[in-house]
Amino acid sequence: MKRQVGILVDTTQCIGCMACEEACADRWGFPHTDVHELSCEKNTVVQQYGETYVPKLCMHCEEPTCVSVCPVGAFEKTAEGPVVYDESKCMGCRYCMQACPFQIPKYQWNKANPKVMKCDMCFDRQQEGKQPACVEACPVQARVFGYRDELIEEAEKKIKENQSTYVQHIFGTTEIEGTSTMYLAGVDFGKLGFPTNLPKRALPKYTWEIMEKIPDYFIWGSTLMAGFWWLTDRKKKVAAYEEESKRQKTQDEDNENNR
Amino acid sequence: MNSSSYLSKIAEWFRHMTFWKSVFLVLVAAGLYSTVVRYAFGLGTATHLSDSFPWGLWIGFDVLCGVGLAAGGFVVASAVYVFHLDDYKAIIRPSVLTAFLGYVLVVFALLYDLGRPWNIWYPFVMWNPHSVMFEVAWCVILYTTVLALEFSPMLFERLKLKKAAHAVYNMIVPLVILGVMLSTLHQSSLGSLYLIMPEKMYPLWYSGNLPFLFFASAVAVGPAMVTIESFLSSRAFHREIEMPILSKLGKVTAVALAIYLVLKIEDAINYNLGSYLMTFNMEGMLYWAEIIAGVLLPIGLLLMPKIRESKRGLFYSAVLVMTGFVLNRMNVSITSLERHYAVSYFPSWMEISVTLMIVAIGFGGFAWAAKNLAVFPKEAAAREPAHAESYEVVVVEDEIHLGSEPSLGMGSK
């Protein structure tokens, strides 16, 4: 397996200059707007929570929900880490949007042939040896791109050495078995719009533990049903036979009596 | 029959306008308008769906309820063909017809909800066995095919293709078993769709038992729907209602609901729902409405022989079961998510008009079939001589025979 990459976002560093938003819009060909909400024309945004600016983008989960739920496999977790979407496969069921724990995938609601939009960590740029556009544009290194294991090491060191600045948790290391985009914060993650009730277990496991039983169920279930058919069929035949022989018997007896 | 006589029949249909026909036309017209808007301008213009509420009425009602309400098809088919419970033969045809219509309409509704409906066949070539939606897609399409086959003899008889009808009956047992397996799978899987959102759903509705809850409630509501439509069609077509059989089906519903209730109680204990049950916010009220009207009350009513065996009692119990079922599916798919998404979703009039059009087509399709095919052959001619003309094809000369011969017991001549 390839060594996985990731992005570490330090919310204590972000100054809210929106350079990342601009760079992202340029890379995707989106219009430049002042709306700081993720949408089909905005794959990363910076949102303000009190004193803190929080850059938001796809979390690129280690075990992504979107990859698991998509009926046609339009999402893929690449070996390098980014989660990418192939619009040519999409049929538009929007289960990815419904299931994503971070509500990242957005939809082109006003198009007749719509597709899902989300950050792909600039996968094409990575293959050219470049960093994601937003990381490159950040003037204060609030977003750092690198190997995931190195980023975690670095982050752990940082929060240990600056205990008064940082909450002692790296968001994205324990939640749903990890994400490739990870966060550091100076205040509770719950106050910065992060979901705090996420299970430790990867979400796809909740459905897979049912789904994996289906082949067995199908074999045993149809055998059982065929068995029921055989039993009740036989019961009916036996009943019919008994009825018949009873009738025969009474007929014989009648004949006997008449004689 | 040549085409001009079809035209004159259609002209006839319009000349004799009745109240229900005009309702049907209005609903279809409104639905068609919304159809044009939806396909020309996209989902955003036609619906109240948004990035923060991606699934609405069309998934919650048209798909989740549609599939569940059509469950009578596999319940009655398995009773007749797998368990040899011959009594139910009298209602197998209307049950299969409802199920077939139901599934066709679910697929039809999906064509509205999918952003790219022309790609609806993709799951057949692009597999993802991890996806519940992938499994549902396969099951629904395969089961719709099974239902089409189970239904086809009604059509073959009308077209006087006796051999074709016979060919279907020769494979009816494996076909029904396949249908039962597919139904069990996707009825429960519609619940499994929500297993992956434990952190999003309001605790009253999230449960590891969701697949089992969805299956049990489908088994409960399927027979209830058969009862409701038998009741309505007996009034519409002036035919005798199959009371003793329907009362028995009422018992099936009561048992399935009781199992459902046990699972619900298990959830309340496992997930420590005490405080949520005692909180009468919107979720709490809707939860109790669902449980009281759709589960507790019908169990109580259906367990009383006097009520179960009376036309009115049985009918109203069935209506309660159906109402509770619809409420449950809407609660799971809409109510339970509103708080997490911090939005309140109410469908647009265009979403509603499409749904109403689909329901109207369902009613219309059933009425057409009941008139033109051997769905209720026994009483058709006997009860109302005045109407005999329109039933000419379904006049049955021999008595219904319930022999071991592989037939639905209704040879029409």
Side-chain angles (χ1 to χ4, degrees):
Chain A
M1 194 164 160
K2 281 193 185 155
R3 202 165 166 200
Q4 292 211 353
V5 294
I7 293 178
L8 179 68
V9 183
D10 188 340
T11 57
T12 64
Q13 298 295 306
C14 182
I15 51 171
C17 71
M18 311 293 165
C20 51
E21 279 193 21
E22 307 275 307
C24 181
D26 285 341
R27 188 251 166 175
W28 286 90
F30 292 150
H32 293 256
T33 64
D34 283 335
V35 184
H36 304 295
E37 286 287 338
L38 291 175
S39 72
C40 63
E41 295 187 329
K42 210 110 211 197
N43 284 344
T44 190
V45 291
V46 178
Q47 291 175 336
Q48 196 174 357
Y49 290 86
E51 306 275 279
T52 315
Y53 290 104
V54 184
K56 296 253 159 109
L57 66 154
C58 176
M59 300 294 286
H60 300 280
C61 307
E62 296 288 283
E63 270 200 53
T65 313
C66 53
V67 173
S68 158
V69 298
C70 181
V72 289
F75 289 92
E76 186 200 345
K77 173 81 176 171
T78 57
E80 294 84 351
V83 177
V84 296
Y85 163 74
D86 177 358
E87 65 153 306
S88 73
K89 289 183 172 180
C90 183
M91 61 177 198
C93 72
R94 309 185 299 285
Y95 194 12
C96 51
M97 306 177 63
Q98 181 78 303
C100 173
F102 305 104
Q103 278 147 266
I104 294 299
K106 300 296 177 192
Y107 209 54
Q108 294 178 326
W109 291 101
N110 292 313
K111 291 213 170 161
N113 185 17
K115 60 183 175 189
V116 172
M117 295 299 264
K118 78 168 205 59
C119 158
D120 65 355
M121 218 197 268
C122 290
F123 190 54
D124 53 344
R125 288 174 54 99
Q126 286 185 34
Q127 278 164 331
E128 294 164 18
K130 291 192 232 165
Q131 294 193 328
C134 58
V135 175
E136 198 178 76
C138 183
V140 291
Q141 269 120 52
R143 300 175 184 229
V144 181
F145 176 73
Y147 288 114
R148 187 171 184 266
D149 48 0
E150 278 177 14
L151 290 176
I152 294 175
E153 228 169 86
E154 220 172 282
E156 272 169 354
K157 212 171 119 195
K158 210 169 176 182
I159 58 175
K160 214 175 256 169
E161 286 170 5
N162 303 285
Q163 298 221 1
S164 56
T165 323
Y166 290 107
V167 173
Q168 295 299 299
H169 174 58
I170 310 164
F171 190 93
T173 48
T174 55
E175 288 80 6
I176 53 170
E177 294 184 25
T179 56
S180 297
T181 305
M182 294 163 292
Y183 284 87
L184 296 180
V187 290
D188 274 355
F189 284 100
K191 288 184 186 149
L192 303 178
F194 289 89
T196 49
N197 61 346
L198 288 176
K200 284 210 160 71
R201 200 158 158 245
L203 292 167
K205 289 187 175 149
Y206 287 72
T207 43
W208 181 242
E209 64 185 13
I210 295 280
M211 296 292 291
E212 68 178 348
K213 295 189 183 116
I214 286 175
D216 273 354
Y217 160 79
F218 208 91
I219 293 163
W220 288 110
S222 30
T223 312
L224 191 71
M225 292 305 280
F228 276 126
W229 174 82
W230 184 82
L231 276 177
T232 50
D233 190 53
R234 184 168 162 73
K235 197 173 141 199
K236 214 171 125 179
K237 279 184 183 147
V238 168
Y241 176 79
E242 277 174 355
E243 190 73 16
E244 179 64 20
S245 47
K246 210 164 143 195
R247 204 174 57 82
Q248 203 75 43
K249 214 171 152 191
T250 39
Q251 211 168 32
D252 289 350
E253 278 169 11
D254 285 352
N255 291 346
E256 199 88 5
N257 294 343
N258 290 346
R259 204 176 292 163
Chain B
M1 210 183 278
N2 58 33
S3 60
S4 69
S5 72
Y6 273 120
L7 279 179
S8 68
K9 268 207 160 178
I10 293 170
E12 187 75 359
W13 191 88
F14 278 98
R15 211 169 301 134
H16 294 280
M17 198 41 68
T18 62
F19 172 70
W20 288 112
K21 276 185 190 174
S22 47
V23 169
F24 176 82
L25 286 177
V26 168
L27 292 179
V28 170
L32 287 178
Y33 173 82
S34 309
T35 306
V36 173
V37 174
R38 185 257 167 264
Y39 287 109
F41 302 105
L43 287 162
T45 316
T47 70
H48 282 172
L49 298 173
S50 66
D51 281 337
S52 37
F53 214 84
W55 284 0
L57 181 73
W58 291 342
I59 293 290
F61 185 82
D62 301 25
V63 175
L64 294 188
C65 295
V67 167
L69 296 175
F74 91 87
V75 175
V76 175
S78 65
V80 171
Y81 292 111
V82 178
F83 296 98
H84 290 91
L85 301 171
D86 291 340
D87 291 353
Y88 293 102
K89 273 191 175 170
I91 51 161
I92 181 116
R93 287 195 161 198
S95 311
V96 167
L97 172 66
T98 319
F100 177 59
L101 282 173
Y103 276 80
V104 169
L105 293 176
V106 165
V107 176
F108 185 62
L110 269 177
L111 295 177
Y112 284 84
D113 189 74
L114 290 180
R116 298 172 160 192
W118 42 90
N119 293 348
I120 193 169
W121 53 279
Y122 276 12
F124 292 97
V125 287
M126 304 169 183
W127 287 34
N128 180 12
H130 281 260
S131 166
V132 181
M133 186 75 85
F134 167 78
E135 187 231 314
V136 171
W138 269 87
C139 282
V140 166
I141 296 298
L142 289 178
Y143 185 53
T144 307
T145 314
V146 167
L147 280 172
L149 284 168
E150 288 181 19
F151 161 79
S152 65
M154 292 182 231
L155 214 57
F156 289 147
E157 284 166 13
R158 163 79 200 242
L159 301 171
K160 304 208 167 68
L161 298 169
K162 277 202 167 168
K163 271 192 183 159
H166 204 76
V168 174
Y169 285 133
N170 276 338
M171 54 176 192
I172 195 84
V173 172
L175 206 56
V176 167
I177 291 180
L178 179 64
V180 173
M181 298 316 296
L182 293 169
S183 294
T184 320
L185 282 178
H186 71 266
Q187 292 286 1
S188 57
S189 290
L190 288 176
S192 308
L193 282 177
Y194 291 87
L195 284 177
I196 205 157
M197 319 174 198
E199 84 291 359
K200 287 189 180 180
M201 288 173 74
Y202 195 75
L204 286 176
W205 288 287
Y206 185 81
S207 154
N209 279 338
L210 268 169
F212 307 105
L213 287 166
F214 265 54
F215 181 69
S217 50
V219 172
V221 83
M225 275 303 282
V226 172
T227 305
I228 291 171
E229 103 216 351
S230 286
F231 192 89
L232 294 179
S233 60
S234 80
R235 281 179 46 166
F237 302 110
H238 310 282
R239 46 171 216 93
E240 204 58 63
I241 191 165
E242 307 82 354
M243 267 318 282
I245 303 160
L246 295 177
S247 302
K248 264 199 203 169
L249 267 188
K251 272 197 241 173
V252 175
T253 295
V255 171
L257 281 181
I259 293 171
Y260 180 84
L261 183 63
V262 171
L263 288 170
K264 277 285 192 192
I265 294 170
E266 193 191 33
D267 279 353
I269 298 165
N270 284 351
Y271 293 90
N272 268 324
L273 297 181
S275 60
Y276 294 101
L277 292 173
M278 290 300 134
T279 311
F280 295 99
N281 51 10
M282 185 185 68
E283 286 92 345
M285 308 266 257
L286 284 168
Y287 179 88
W288 279 112
E290 174 194 321
I291 294 290
I292 292 171
V295 184
L296 296 176
L297 212 54
I299 291 180
L301 291 172
L302 288 169
L303 285 182
M304 286 186 263
K306 209 175 153 191
I307 290 179
R308 194 174 63 232
E309 281 154 21
S310 82
K311 268 191 206 176
R312 213 168 245 261
L314 186 68
F315 177 71
Y316 285 117
S317 311
V319 169
L320 280 175
V321 175
M322 184 197 69
T323 313
F325 177 88
V326 171
L327 202 52
N328 171 258
R329 294 307 191 258
M330 302 304 266
N331 280 341
V332 168
S333 65
I334 294 170
T335 316
S336 82
L337 292 164
E338 283 184 314
R339 192 173 294 264
H340 178 85
Y341 287 139
V343 288
S344 63
Y345 163 85
F346 192 83
S348 72
W349 79 263
M350 284 195 254
E351 284 175 273
I352 296 173
S353 71
V354 167
T355 296
L356 287 178
M357 174 179 71
I358 289 173
V359 172
I361 293 174
F363 272 89
F366 191 90
W368 179 86
K371 262 190 185 167
N372 292 289
L373 306 175
V375 180
F376 305 107
K378 197 179 163 191
E379 301 85 358
R383 281 272 294 179
E384 278 276 327
H387 286 240
E389 198 185 34
S390 51
Y391 294 114
E392 55 180 340
V393 289
V394 296
V395 172
V396 177
E397 286 181 5
D398 5 14
E399 251 304 287
I400 288 182
H401 55 155
L402 303 169
S404 55
E405 192 189 287
S407 87
L408 284 170
M410 297 168 179
S412 80
K413 290 212 167 173

